[in-house]
Coordinates of all heavy atoms in Angstrom, one line a residue:
V1211 N 70.8 12.2 -96.1 CA 71.3 10.8 -96.4 C 70.2 9.8 -96.4 O 70.1 8.9 -97.3 CB 72.3 10.5 -95.3 CG1 72.8 9.1 -95.5 CG2 73.5 11.5 -95.3
E1214 N 68.4 9.9 -99.7 CA 69.1 9.3 -100.8 C 69.2 7.7 -100.7 O 69.2 7.0 -101.7 CB 70.5 9.8 -100.8 CG 70.5 11.3 -101.2 CD 71.8 11.9 -101.7 OE1 72.9 11.2 -101.6 OE2 71.9 13.0 -102.2
E1215 N 69.0 7.2 -99.5 CA 68.9 5.8 -99.3 C 67.5 5.4 -99.8 O 67.4 4.4 -100.6 CB 69.1 5.3 -97.9 CG 69.0 3.8 -97.7 CD 69.1 3.3 -96.3 OE1 70.1 3.4 -95.7 OE2 68.0 2.9 -95.8
A1217 N 65.8 6.8 -102.0 CA 65.8 7.0 -103.5 C 66.5 5.8 -104.1 O 66.1 5.3 -105.2 CB 66.5 8.3 -103.8
G1218 N 67.6 5.3 -103.5 CA 68.2 4.1 -104.0 C 67.3 2.9 -104.0 O 67.3 2.1 -105.0
E1221 N 64.6 3.5 -106.8 CA 65.2 3.3 -108.2 C 65.5 1.8 -108.5 O 65.2 1.4 -109.6 CB 66.4 4.2 -108.3 CG 66.9 4.2 -109.8 CD 68.0 5.3 -110.0 OE1 69.1 5.1 -109.4 OE2 67.7 6.3 -110.6
S1351 N 76.5 -1.9 -98.1 CA 77.3 -1.8 -99.3 C 77.5 -3.2 -99.8 O 77.0 -4.2 -99.3 CB 78.6 -1.1 -99.0 OG 79.3 -1.8 -98.0
D1352 N 78.3 -3.3 -100.9 CA 78.5 -4.6 -101.6 C 77.3 -5.3 -102.0 O 77.1 -6.5 -101.7 CB 79.4 -5.5 -100.7 CG 80.7 -4.9 -100.4 OD1 81.3 -4.3 -101.3 OD2 81.3 -5.1 -99.3
L1353 N 76.3 -4.6 -102.6 CA 75.1 -5.1 -103.0 C 75.1 -5.8 -104.4 O 76.0 -5.5 -105.1 CB 74.0 -4.0 -103.0 CG 73.8 -3.3 -101.7 CD1 73.1 -2.0 -101.9 CD2 73.0 -4.2 -100.8
V1357 N 71.1 -3.2 -107.7 CA 70.4 -2.7 -106.6 C 70.8 -1.3 -106.3 O 70.1 -0.6 -105.5 CB 70.8 -3.6 -105.3 CG1 70.1 -3.0 -104.1 CG2 70.2 -5.0 -105.6
A1358 N 71.9 -0.8 -106.9 CA 72.3 0.6 -106.7 C 72.9 1.1 -108.0 O 73.2 0.2 -108.9 CB 73.2 0.8 -105.5
P1359 N 73.1 2.4 -108.2 CA 73.7 2.8 -109.4 C 75.1 2.1 -109.7 O 75.8 1.8 -108.8 CB 74.0 4.3 -109.1 CG 72.9 4.7 -108.2 CD 72.7 3.5 -107.3
A1360 N 75.3 1.7 -110.9 CA 76.5 0.8 -111.3 C 77.7 1.6 -110.9 O 78.0 2.7 -111.4 CB 76.4 0.5 -112.7
S1361 N 78.5 1.0 -110.0 CA 79.8 1.6 -109.7 C 80.7 0.6 -109.0 O 81.3 0.8 -108.0 CB 79.6 2.8 -108.7 OG 80.8 3.4 -108.4
G1362 N 80.6 -0.6 -109.6 CA 81.5 -1.7 -109.0 C 81.0 -2.2 -107.7 O 79.8 -1.9 -107.3
P1363 N 81.8 -2.9 -107.0 CA 81.3 -3.6 -105.7 C 81.1 -2.6 -104.6 O 80.6 -2.9 -103.5 CB 82.5 -4.5 -105.4 CG 83.7 -3.9 -106.1 CD 83.1 -3.3 -107.3
R1364 N 81.6 -1.3 -104.7 CA 81.4 -0.4 -103.6 C 80.1 0.3 -103.6 O 79.9 1.1 -102.7 CB 82.6 0.6 -103.7 CG 83.9 0.1 -103.4 CD 84.9 1.2 -103.2 NE 85.2 2.0 -104.4 CZ 86.1 1.7 -105.3 NH1 86.9 0.6 -105.1 NH2 86.3 2.4 -106.4
A1365 N 79.3 0.2 -104.6 CA 78.0 0.9 -104.6 C 77.2 0.8 -103.4 O 76.8 -0.4 -103.1 CB 77.3 0.6 -105.9
P1366 N 76.9 1.8 -102.7 CA 76.0 1.7 -101.5 C 74.5 1.8 -101.9 O 74.2 2.0 -103.1 CB 76.4 2.9 -100.7 CG 76.7 4.0 -101.7 CD 77.3 3.2 -102.9
L1367 N 73.6 1.5 -101.0 CA 72.2 1.6 -101.3 C 71.8 3.1 -101.2 O 71.3 3.6 -100.2 CB 71.4 0.8 -100.3 CG 69.9 0.7 -100.6 CD1 69.7 0.0 -101.9 CD2 69.3 -0.2 -99.5
R1368 N 72.2 3.8 -102.3 CA 72.0 5.3 -102.2 C 71.9 5.8 -103.7 O 72.7 5.4 -104.6 CB 73.2 5.9 -101.5 CG 73.2 7.4 -101.4 CD 74.3 7.9 -100.4 NE 74.3 9.4 -100.2 CZ 74.9 10.0 -99.4 NH1 75.7 9.4 -98.6 NH2 74.9 11.3 -99.3
R1369 N 71.2 6.8 -103.9 CA 71.1 7.5 -105.2 C 71.1 9.0 -104.9 O 70.3 9.5 -104.2 CB 69.7 7.1 -105.8 CG 69.7 7.4 -107.3 CD 69.1 8.7 -107.6 NE 68.6 8.8 -109.0 CZ 68.2 10.0 -109.6 NH1 68.2 11.1 -108.9 NH2 67.8 10.0 -110.8
R1370 N 72.1 9.6 -105.5 CA 72.3 11.1 -105.3 C 71.1 11.9 -105.9 O 70.6 11.6 -106.9 CB 73.6 11.5 -105.9 CG 74.8 10.9 -105.2 CD 75.9 11.9 -105.0 NE 75.5 13.0 -104.1 CZ 76.0 14.2 -104.1 NH1 76.9 14.6 -105.1 NH2 75.7 15.1 -103.2
L1371 N 70.6 12.8 -105.1 CA 69.5 13.6 -105.5 C 69.8 15.0 -106.1 O 69.0 15.8 -106.4 CB 68.5 13.7 -104.3 CG 67.8 12.4 -103.9 CD1 67.0 12.6 -102.7 CD2 67.0 11.8 -105.0
D1372 N 71.1 15.3 -106.0 CA 71.6 16.6 -106.6 C 73.0 16.4 -107.1 O 73.7 15.4 -106.9 CB 71.4 17.8 -105.6 CG 72.3 17.6 -104.4 OD1 73.5 17.1 -104.5 OD2 71.9 17.9 -103.3
A1377 N 78.7 16.0 -100.1 CA 77.7 15.0 -99.7 C 78.0 14.6 -98.2 O 79.1 14.5 -97.8 CB 77.8 13.8 -100.6
S1378 N 76.9 14.3 -97.5 CA 77.0 13.9 -96.2 C 77.1 12.3 -96.2 O 76.5 11.7 -97.0 CB 75.8 14.3 -95.4 OG 75.7 15.7 -95.2
V1379 N 77.9 11.8 -95.2 CA 78.0 10.4 -95.0 C 77.6 10.1 -93.6 O 78.2 10.7 -92.6 CB 79.4 9.9 -95.3 CG1 79.6 8.4 -95.0 CG2 79.7 10.1 -96.8
S1407 N 84.4 0.0 -92.8 CA 84.4 -0.4 -94.2 C 83.2 0.1 -95.0 O 83.4 0.5 -96.1 CB 84.5 -2.0 -94.2 OG 83.3 -2.5 -93.6
D1408 N 82.1 0.2 -94.3 CA 80.9 0.8 -95.0 C 81.0 2.3 -95.2 O 80.7 2.8 -96.3 CB 79.6 0.5 -94.2 CG 79.2 -0.9 -94.2 OD1 79.6 -1.7 -95.2 OD2 78.3 -1.4 -93.4
V1409 N 81.6 3.0 -94.3 CA 81.8 4.4 -94.4 C 82.8 4.7 -95.5 O 82.7 5.5 -96.4 CB 82.3 5.0 -93.1 CG1 82.6 6.5 -93.2 CG2 81.2 4.8 -92.0
L1410 N 83.9 3.9 -95.5 CA 85.0 4.0 -96.6 C 84.4 3.7 -97.9 O 84.7 4.4 -98.9 CB 86.1 3.1 -96.2 CG 87.1 3.6 -95.1 CD1 88.0 2.5 -94.6 CD2 88.0 4.7 -95.7
N1411 N 83.7 2.6 -98.1 CA 83.1 2.2 -99.4 C 82.2 3.3 -99.9 O 82.2 3.6 -101.1 CB 82.4 0.9 -99.2 CG 83.3 -0.3 -99.2 OD1 84.4 -0.2 -99.5 ND2 82.8 -1.4 -98.7
E1412 N 81.3 3.8 -99.0 CA 80.4 4.9 -99.5 C 81.1 6.1 -99.9 O 80.7 6.8 -100.9 CB 79.4 5.2 -98.3 CG 78.3 6.1 -98.8 CD 77.1 6.2 -97.8 OE1 77.0 5.2 -97.0 OE2 76.3 7.1 -97.9
T1413 N 82.2 6.4 -99.1 CA 83.0 7.7 -99.5 C 83.7 7.4 -100.9 O 83.7 8.4 -101.7 CB 84.0 7.9 -98.4 OG1 83.4 8.2 -97.2 CG2 85.0 9.1 -98.8
R1414 N 84.2 6.2 -101.1 CA 84.8 6.0 -102.5 C 83.8 6.1 -103.6 O 84.1 6.6 -104.6 CB 85.4 4.6 -102.4 CG 86.7 4.5 -101.5 CD 87.1 3.1 -101.3 NE 88.3 3.1 -100.3 CZ 88.5 2.0 -99.5 NH1 87.7 1.0 -99.5 NH2 89.6 2.1 -98.7
W1415 N 82.6 5.6 -103.3 CA 81.5 5.6 -104.3 C 81.2 7.0 -104.6 O 81.0 7.4 -105.8 CB 80.3 4.8 -103.9 CG 79.2 4.9 -104.8 CD1 79.0 4.1 -105.9 CD2 78.0 5.7 -104.7 NE1 77.8 4.5 -106.5 CE2 77.2 5.4 -105.7 CE3 77.6 6.6 -103.7 CZ2 75.9 6.1 -105.9 CZ3 76.4 7.3 -103.9 CH2 75.6 7.0 -105.0
L1416 N 81.0 7.9 -103.6 CA 80.6 9.3 -103.7 C 81.7 10.0 -104.5 O 81.4 10.8 -105.4 CB 80.4 9.9 -102.4 CG 79.2 9.5 -101.6 CD1 79.2 10.0 -100.2 CD2 77.9 10.2 -102.3
A1417 N 83.0 9.7 -104.2 CA 84.0 10.3 -105.0 C 83.9 9.9 -106.5 O 84.2 10.8 -107.4 CB 85.4 9.8 -104.5
E1418 N 83.5 8.7 -106.8 CA 83.3 8.3 -108.2 C 82.1 9.0 -108.9 O 82.1 9.2 -110.1 CB 83.0 6.8 -108.3 CG 84.3 6.0 -107.9 CD 83.9 4.5 -107.7 OE1 82.7 4.2 -107.9 OE2 84.8 3.7 -107.4
Q1419 N 81.2 9.6 -108.0 CA 80.1 10.4 -108.5 C 80.5 11.8 -108.7 O 79.6 12.6 -109.0 CB 78.9 10.2 -107.6 CG 78.5 8.8 -107.3 CD 78.2 7.9 -108.4 OE1 77.4 8.2 -109.3 NE2 79.0 6.8 -108.5
G1420 N 81.7 12.2 -108.4 CA 82.1 13.6 -108.5 C 82.1 14.4 -107.2 O 82.4 15.6 -107.3
V1421 N 81.9 13.8 -106.1 CA 81.9 14.5 -104.8 C 83.3 14.8 -104.4 O 84.2 14.0 -104.5 CB 81.2 13.6 -103.7 CG1 81.4 14.2 -102.3 CG2 79.7 13.5 -104.0
K1422 N 83.5 16.1 -104.0 CA 84.8 16.5 -103.5 C 85.0 16.6 -102.0 O 86.1 16.6 -101.5 CB 85.2 17.9 -104.2 CG 85.1 17.9 -105.7 CD 86.2 16.8 -106.3 CE 86.2 16.8 -107.8 NZ 87.2 15.8 -108.3
I1424 N 83.2 15.4 -98.3 CA 82.2 14.6 -97.5 C 82.1 15.3 -96.1 O 83.1 15.7 -95.6 CB 82.5 13.1 -97.4 CG1 83.9 12.9 -96.7 CG2 82.6 12.5 -98.8 CD1 84.1 11.4 -96.2
L1451 N 89.9 8.2 -94.8 CA 88.9 8.9 -95.6 C 89.6 9.9 -96.5 O 89.3 10.1 -97.6 CB 87.8 9.4 -94.8 CG 86.8 8.5 -94.1 CD1 86.0 9.2 -93.1 CD2 86.0 7.7 -95.1
T1454 N 91.2 9.0 -99.8 CA 90.3 8.5 -100.9 C 90.5 9.4 -102.2 O 90.5 10.6 -102.2 CB 88.8 8.7 -100.5 OG1 88.6 7.9 -99.3 CG2 87.9 8.2 -101.6
D1455 N 90.8 8.7 -103.3 CA 91.0 9.3 -104.5 C 89.8 10.2 -104.9 O 88.7 9.8 -104.9 CB 91.3 8.3 -105.6 CG 92.6 7.7 -105.6 OD1 93.5 8.2 -104.9 OD2 92.8 6.6 -106.2
I1457 N 88.6 12.8 -103.3 CA 88.1 13.6 -102.1 C 89.1 14.6 -101.7 O 90.3 14.3 -101.5 CB 87.8 12.7 -100.9 CG1 86.6 11.8 -101.3 CG2 87.4 13.5 -99.7 CD1 85.3 12.4 -101.6

Side-chain angles (χ1 to χ4, degrees):
V1211 177
E1214 292 197 350
E1215 183 185 289
E1221 188 169 70
S1351 56
D1352 298 325
L1353 296 165
V1357 178
S1361 184
R1364 288 192 294 270
L1367 188 57
R1368 179 171 181 171
R1369 196 268 200 187
R1370 298 221 64 207
L1371 293 175
D1372 62 40
S1378 296
V1379 175
S1407 58
D1408 286 341
V1409 178
L1410 282 163
N1411 283 343
E1412 187 164 341
T1413 297
R1414 290 167 184 152
W1415 178 80
L1416 287 167
E1418 292 169 358
Q1419 310 303 305
V1421 169
K1422 300 300 181 182
I1424 63 163
L1451 291 170
T1454 302
D1455 288 343
I1457 295 297

